């Protein structure tokens, strides 16, 4: 597996694995599968980690013990009920927890719209003993979780206003109708994400290339929140050549 030289990360604690798009799930799942069977897995939503979850489900069918895992989600839309199929609570339940045999009482997803709700989620993470491996994607504008550009390194779980570019990217899950996409979300903050013991970032496609390049090789800046991953002691990026291109 060859990493384009221009995308050798600035941080010596960040590893980059370049593989074909259809191999990302298996490669990332091999890392995630090292979480203890009763450990804490931080889960991202959206399309980027779908292949990873599918690979974990296949591994479970082959004997991987997953039913004792505890899941902590990155974010949730404000205003969508957990029963709404477009909510991230529904995503975590149907795409990850149920196929992996994880009971509902071992699953936490951010909820609410107040500072107290954010503080409660921070306590839940602490009470779980912290996150063993946190899965993240990267937005086209460099967001991780829903930490949009301008989010600093000290942020914790809170309500944020979603950038229009983020809402447009997510409109496909709302029938293409931007007006139906919530304007706010509850998200783990940058500092919350960085508190995980290990982080695995998955990315595919040329639309992620500019943001990923800036995160890996550019300065650490709130303009690209993913760049704060350079400060973490154990990050693995699994991406295809299109996402790792230096000319996009």
């Amino acid at each position: 597996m060859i990493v384009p030289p221009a995308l050798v990360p600035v941080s010596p604690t960040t590893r980059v694995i370049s593989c074909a798009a259809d191999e990302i799930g298996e490669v990332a799942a091999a890392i995630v599968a090292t979480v203890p069977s009763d450990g804490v897995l931080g889960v991202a939503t959206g399309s980027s980690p779908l292949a990873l979850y599918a690979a974990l489900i296949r591994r479970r069918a082959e004997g991987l013990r997953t039913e004792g895992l505890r899941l902590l989600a990155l974010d949730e839309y404000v205003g969508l009920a957990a029963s709404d199929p477009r909510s991230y609570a529904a995503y975590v339940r149907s795409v990850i927890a149920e196929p992996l045999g994880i009971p509902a009482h071992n699953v936490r997803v951010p909820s609410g719209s107040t500072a107290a709700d954010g503080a409660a989620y921070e306590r839940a993470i602490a009470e779980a003993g912290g996150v063993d491996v946190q899965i993240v994607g990267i937005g086209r504008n460099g967001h991780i979780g829903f930490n949009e550009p301008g989010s600093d390194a000290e942020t914790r779980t809170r309500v944020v206003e979603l950038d229009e570019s983020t809402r447009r990217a997510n409109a496909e899950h709302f029938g293409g109708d931007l007006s139906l996409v919530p304007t706010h979300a509850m998200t783990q903050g940058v500092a919350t994400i960085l508190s995980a013991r290990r982080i695995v970032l998955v990315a595919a496609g040329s639309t992620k290339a500019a943001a990923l390049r800036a995160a890996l090789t550019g300065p650490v800046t709130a303009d690209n929140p993913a760049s704060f991953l350079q400060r973490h002691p154990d990050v693995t990026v699994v991406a295809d050549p299109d996402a790792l291109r230096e000319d996009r």
Side-chain angles (χ1 to χ4, degrees):
M1 296 180 180
I2 301 174
V3 178
L7 291 187
V8 171
V10 173
S11 170
T13 59
T14 299
R15 294 170 297 281
V16 178
I17 300 174
S18 176
C19 57
D22 61 1
E23 296 175 347
I24 290 174
E26 289 292 346
V27 172
I31 300 168
V32 174
T34 64
V35 174
S37 60
D38 61 348
V40 180
L41 180 61
V43 292
T45 53
S47 57
S48 294
L50 283 173
L52 190 168
Y53 300 138
L56 285 178
I57 293 164
R58 288 193 294 272
R59 284 171 176 260
R60 180 179 185 241
E62 296 167 357
L64 179 68
R65 299 294 299 272
T66 58
E67 62 273 11
L69 288 173
R70 289 163 290 162
L71 303 182
L72 289 166
L74 272 178
D75 41 37
E76 178 61 287
Y77 290 116
V78 170
L80 291 189
S83 59
D84 190 312
R86 300 166 300 183
S87 72
Y88 288 149
Y91 177 112
V92 172
R93 181 173 62 251
S94 63
V95 174
I96 311 170
E98 291 178 353
L100 292 178
I102 300 169
H105 62 78
N106 274 1
V107 180
R108 290 293 300 268
V109 179
S111 62
S113 59
T114 69
D117 295 323
Y121 200 67
E122 289 287 328
R123 288 195 299 273
I125 295 172
E127 290 166 2
V131 174
D132 292 307
V133 172
Q134 176 65 60
I135 300 164
V136 297
I138 183 171
R140 299 177 188 182
N141 61 4
H143 72 242
I144 50 174
F146 272 136
N147 293 284
E148 301 283 20
S151 300
D152 65 52
E154 306 306 316
T155 52
R156 291 285 179 177
T157 303
R158 70 208 188 283
V159 172
V160 297
E161 182 175 1
L162 299 179
D163 189 85
E164 184 175 348
S165 66
T166 297
R167 295 179 64 239
R168 288 189 181 281
N170 290 354
E172 63 179 296
H173 306 296
F174 292 82
D177 188 343
L178 181 63
S179 70
L180 297 179
V181 183
T183 58
H184 291 75
M186 176 78 74
T187 185
Q188 288 187 33
V190 174
T192 314
I193 293 170
L194 294 182
S195 69
R197 285 178 274 280
R198 299 176 68 190
I199 295 175
V200 175
L201 185 154
V202 290
S206 60
T207 60
K208 302 297 180 74
L212 187 58
R213 179 175 67 250
L216 293 178
T217 68
V220 175
T221 170
D223 292 338
N224 184 317
S227 68
F228 289 116
L229 295 176
Q230 293 180 33
R231 297 179 178 175
H232 193 277
D234 192 342
V235 175
T236 302
V237 176
V238 184
D240 69 355
D242 283 340
L244 291 170
R245 289 184 63 169
E246 60 180 301
D247 58 347
R248 294 293 181 93

